[in-house]
Amino acid sequence: WRRWSVEMPSLPLALGQMVIGPLNFACVAACLHQALLGVADIPYLAVASAYVIANVATLVTHVPGGLGVIESVVQYLLPQADLIGALLVFRFVYFLLPLCLGGLSFMAAEACNGLRSGGARQHGAAI
């Protein structure tokens, strides 16, 4: 459009995305399944189905990160036991823990870059 153009991805990239997308959903559902096994004996396919439906509900509601939506949908679709504790553990392990680790590594990288660029200025070197 005007000066912008959108190109289709190459065939290898598109095929890679078609493989990695479902594989990612399967791995996230496996993480959720392991968290739920602590409180109820629920089959993997039931958990995977509930997780996919919960993600569709998240897209429909436009709630950032599906906060509360994923938990509500999974709780509704798998009413065998009180799952809220396991769902919160899943939320922490799969979403919040990586966020904290990523934030810490980002701060460490920025601090190292700051020290490196500060030392270059101190010695009169060009950046």
Side-chain angles (χ1 to χ4, degrees):
W1 188 66
R2 295 187 184 179
R3 294 184 302 162
W4 294 22
S5 65
V6 177
E7 295 180 23
M8 295 294 290
S10 64
L11 184 61
L13 180 61
L15 292 175
Q17 289 175 338
M18 290 172 58
V19 169
I20 290 175
L23 186 62
N24 179 52
F25 264 92
C27 290
V28 175
C31 180
L32 177 59
H33 180 250
Q34 290 301 307
L36 295 179
L37 278 180
V39 294
D41 188 27
I42 303 172
Y44 171 76
L45 287 179
V47 173
S49 300
Y51 182 71
V52 169
I53 293 168
N55 271 282
V56 170
T58 297
L59 292 173
V60 170
T61 59
H62 296 285
V63 174
L67 194 59
V69 177
I70 292 173
E71 291 84 355
S72 299
V73 171
V74 171
Q75 185 77 24
Y76 180 77
L77 293 175
L78 303 172
Q80 290 92 344
D82 186 25
L83 304 177
I84 195 66
L87 288 166
L88 291 176
V89 166
F90 165 74
R91 174 71 69 175
F92 176 77
V93 168
Y94 204 80
F95 291 103
L96 295 179
L97 187 63
L99 176 66
C100 292
L101 293 174
L104 288 173
S105 64
F106 178 71
M107 288 189 309
E110 288 299 311
C112 288
N113 286 338
L115 290 174
R116 212 174 313 138
S117 64
R121 287 189 200 130
Q122 212 172 33
H123 296 294
I127 297 176

